[in-house]
Amino acid sequence: MTTLIKLYGAPVSTCTARVMTCLHEKAVDFELVSVDLFSCEHKQPPFLAKNPFGQIPVLEDGDLTLFESRAMTAYVAEKFKEAGTDLIRHHDLKEAALVKVWIEVESQQFHPAIAPIVYEYFVAPIQGKSPDQGVIDANLEKLSKVLDVYEAKLSSTKYLAGDFYSLADLHHLPYTYYFMKTPCASIISERAHVKAWWEDISSRPAFKKASEGMNFGEK
């Protein structure tokens, strides 16, 4: 009997949504186990036994426990590689390598620039703070340079790793989704190829399903 994958997290969370989107792309049944962030459930011993860093999400598949959302999507994409969209291009070594390159770009270039901006607009107010415009401006400058590279790349291919949708694109979805709700969204919209790419990937049914719970900061 196949065990049901359990995903411990919160639909509002970017990293939880990243994994949910991957699971939906593969049409994998899973159980979302809600973790109450506001009561700091993720910092309590039962959860810390699953992830000693006290962060969501955590994925359990039988006796396997994973933390770090990008590791989870890689696992899901590999385990269910014959189902749904091939997110890792496992039949083509060169394409698979390019997917890995752009997965790293998202993690090392894009994420460090966009995450602080999203934090200032969505998390800081919940903590009773005003968004720090200095932090926002410094990271907008970094993000603009990254997006210039994306604009050039996306002028020659439909998606980041080539003319195929992959994990490299998927990993960008949650943070960009929240970013597009900020006053800074124009730096995506003013880059024609980046804008077209964003409109394409954010309209995929798997992400639309995952984003239903992404209502952070909404009344």
Side-chain angles (χ1 to χ4, degrees):
M1 179 178 172
T2 303
T3 57
L4 192 66
I5 287 177
K6 288 185 177 182
L7 184 64
Y8 295 81
V12 73
S13 146
T14 49
C15 295
T16 303
R18 181 180 287 128
V19 181
M20 288 175 63
T21 302
C22 186
L23 288 162
H24 289 321
E25 283 285 355
K26 293 298 185 177
V28 175
D29 288 332
F30 65 96
E31 177 187 355
L32 179 63
V33 181
S34 182
V35 177
D36 188 345
L37 302 178
F38 293 101
S39 68
C40 291
E41 183 182 349
H42 55 306
K43 302 298 184 184
Q44 303 305 313
F47 189 85
L48 291 172
K50 303 178 189 300
N51 180 359
F53 294 103
Q55 296 174 319
I56 59 170
V58 164
L59 183 147
E60 287 183 347
D61 187 12
D63 61 357
L64 176 68
T65 300
L66 299 175
F67 50 89
E68 296 297 340
S69 64
R70 294 172 185 82
M72 296 178 211
T73 60
Y75 171 74
V76 169
E78 178 64 31
K79 179 172 182 176
F80 303 100
K81 60 187 176 185
E82 301 297 346
T85 304
D86 178 6
L87 297 170
I88 53 175
R89 308 302 286 183
H90 67 282
H91 290 303
D92 188 307
L93 184 63
K94 290 182 179 179
E95 288 183 352
L98 289 169
V99 171
K100 290 185 174 74
V101 166
W102 286 94
I103 284 174
E104 289 296 317
V105 171
E106 185 277 330
S107 175
Q108 302 299 321
Q109 305 290 338
F110 181 86
H111 178 81
I114 200 171
I117 301 170
V118 171
Y119 178 90
E120 290 300 326
Y121 279 113
F122 290 92
V123 182
I126 290 176
Q127 297 177 337
K129 305 172 189 172
S130 297
D132 186 326
Q133 196 61 45
V135 171
I136 292 168
D137 290 345
N139 284 284
L140 277 175
E141 185 177 349
K142 295 175 188 175
L143 185 59
S144 293
K145 291 175 181 176
V146 174
L147 291 175
D148 285 343
V149 175
Y150 280 40
E151 180 68 10
K153 180 67 175 70
L154 292 165
S155 68
S156 60
T157 57
K158 187 174 181 181
Y159 301 101
L160 289 171
D163 290 319
F164 48 83
Y165 179 75
S166 73
L167 271 190
D169 307 290
L170 184 154
H171 282 182
H172 290 77
L173 282 162
Y175 271 95
T176 311
Y177 177 81
Y178 280 129
F179 180 84
M180 294 303 287
K181 294 177 178 290
T182 75
C184 308
S186 61
I187 76 162
I188 297 250
S189 302
E190 67 194 12
R191 290 167 170 83
H193 294 98
V194 174
K195 180 175 183 281
W197 166 76
W198 168 246
E199 290 175 348
D200 181 321
I201 66 173
S202 62
S203 67
R204 292 179 69 85
F207 180 65
K208 290 180 83 69
K209 192 171 182 180
S211 66
E212 289 172 0
M214 294 182 70
N215 54 9
F216 206 24
E218 295 179 10
K219 300 295 184 187

